[in-house]
Amino acid sequence: MGRANDEVAELLQEYADLVSITGGDAYKVRAYEKAARAVAGHHEDVSDLDLAGIKRIPNVGTSIAEKIVEHMTTGKVGAVEELRAKIPAGVRQLTAIPTLGPKRAMALYEELEVSSVDELAEAIRSERLRDLKGFGEKTEANLLHGIELLQASGGRVGIDLATEAAETMVRELSSVTGCRRCAYAGSLRRMRETIGDIDILAASDDPGPLMETFVGLPDVAEVIAHGEKKTSIRTAKGLQVDLRVVPPASWGAAMQYFTGSKAHNVRTREMAVHAGLKLSEYGLFDAETDELLVSETEEEVYQRLGLPWIPPQLREDRGEIEAAQRGELPDLVTEDDLRGDLHTHTDLTDGLSALEEMVAAAAERGYEYYAVTDHAPNLYMQRMSDEKMLQQRGRVRELDREHGGMRLLHGTELNIDPEGGVDWPAEFLEAFDLCVASVHSHFTQSKAEMTRRLVRACENPHVHIIGHPTGRMIGRRDPIDVDLDAVFEACARTGTALEINSFPDRLDLRDEHILWARRHGVKFAINSDSHSRIHLPFVRYGIGTAQRGWLSADEVINTWPLDRLLAFLGRG
């Protein structure tokens, strides 16, 4: 269940944290952190590689490769177990709090015997941290906010992890004899950005084999409840999954009911009542006679209520019922509409795959065009220079000639500085095919300062797209404080597109902001922000977010034909 690479990456990152907590060499910590990112982004499954194959992964040396092999063959790593034994588990759990690093977590344990999130919150409330070196009122406030972020997640997981788990289970269950249909429902089907638990629905006249297969799946760590109609399990990563089995004739009504949302279902049930009907997971019935009217497909259920089928991503009671009644539901953008990706990275900066690998992976996706947008020099840790960027441009032009069926664009991701300026003078920027501009620092500026900063970036004639516009990291960093109306108005006025960043821990803009920005007439770009060839498919999550924001294809610039896109970029 899940990629072995992700499991290994978590182990390497944990080892890096343990080394840091115990005061180990900083170089060793960075080496394991780099290796963790490299393994997570590597396109080959590490469980299929021998020692030599693992050593070919960038940033994975002999010692790290040997630990990976040890883990894959024995299920544990001696060096990790040794360090785990030295440090209370609670201290490691403290490092999950945003802004609290491993060394500070250990200091809290050694000085105040704090070994859990609740104990830390109590220590802050009683002002016990203020006597510690490096801790003050501002640190306390930041840590309390970090605890709030951690607790607000409520055990929810990112849409990518939930999707991977759900699709694996659906594949397994679909192969069970007697299973007529199987799919996931709930908030995952509605493409919510985080998922509390997974709802899987199956149709069969004989639920027994499905339930037995379900509880026997490899990733099942605990069986919470085991019944004939519903069984619940918890995976090794703590994710609850509920399987419901319904008769094939009830499939449509059950999918409508268990997809939700609760607010949408309340509205549809109210419509049924007003029409003299009853709606449940078993079907749509005549309220007086209990005669079953329709139940087999969702389309039939909605049609009997006087509505067209409503896409799951819209089912949040945000006007979709009224739009359906007026015949004004949007023709939502789909992944098939995307003609290219306009924000990606290579190993020239912080990516994990070489330029040639990224281009080949994009070509495999059938893109009409593809942009390489490595970081600009003001993000100092990426060590970009004019010479490196120009050398890359030359290679992009060579590859463009080799990939006759896909146009390659050479771009960059600029850094919006605190005053709203960007890297490089105008004459250097002029030669790029496109420029994405993003906030990467100074996230705590005042609302007025941040607003001026983004509006000025929009007004720069060389900036085509504002990348991950609110700067949030789901569960780890709040969005910036900014007047979004002013930013959306500036984008519409200047013709600057807003990015829907598809990376699962960003999904920025979020759906509510897309709905808001559409009213200003803004155009959007749905990009992967890939840092590895395996990240390119992340656009599916950006598409889901765009659909939740009611976007049609024409509002998304990278669904446009190349000539129209180039005209937008000023290259027509």
Side-chain angles (χ1 to χ4, degrees), residues 259-279:
T259 293
S261 66
K262 181 179 179 180
H264 177 86
N265 284 356
V266 167
R267 294 292 307 279
T268 55
R269 287 199 297 272
E270 288 174 348
M271 293 181 69
V273 170
H274 291 154
L277 307 171
K278 291 190 302 184
L279 177 62

Side-chain angles (χ1 to χ4, degrees), residues 396-409:
V396 167
R397 300 302 184 226
E398 291 176 3
L399 290 170
D400 185 42
R401 290 190 288 273
E402 295 173 14
H403 287 268
M406 181 177 71
R407 176 67 180 273
L408 295 185
L409 304 174

Side-chain angles (χ1 to χ4, degrees), residues 392-437:
Q392 184 187 67
R393 182 174 299 157
R395 181 58 181 148
V396 167
R397 300 302 184 226
E398 291 176 3
L399 290 170
D400 185 42
R401 290 190 288 273
E402 295 173 14
H403 287 268
M406 181 177 71
R407 176 67 180 273
L408 295 185
L409 304 174
H410 188 241
T412 184
E413 184 180 12
L414 301 166
N415 308 284
I416 304 174
D417 70 26
E419 288 72 45
V422 297
D423 320 63
W424 285 310
E427 56 270 20
F428 196 88
L429 294 176
E430 178 64 33
F432 285 104
D433 294 319
L434 82 159
C435 294
V436 180

Side-chain angles (χ1 to χ4, degrees), residues 213-236:
T213 299
F214 183 54
V215 298
L217 291 174
D219 200 41
V220 173
E222 175 189 1
V223 177
I224 301 170
H226 191 174
E228 184 176 320
K229 295 182 179 180
K230 177 185 175 183
T231 295
S232 300
I233 61 92
R234 200 177 312 280
T235 70

Side-chain angles (χ1 to χ4, degrees), residues 26 54 97 147 158-159 255 291 305 323 358 376 383 410 443 549 562:
I54 294 172
I97 300 171
I147 291 172
I159 189 173
M255 277 299 286
E291 177 189 0
L305 292 172
M358 295 298 290
R383 299 179 181 177
H410 188 241
F443 295 104
L562 178 61

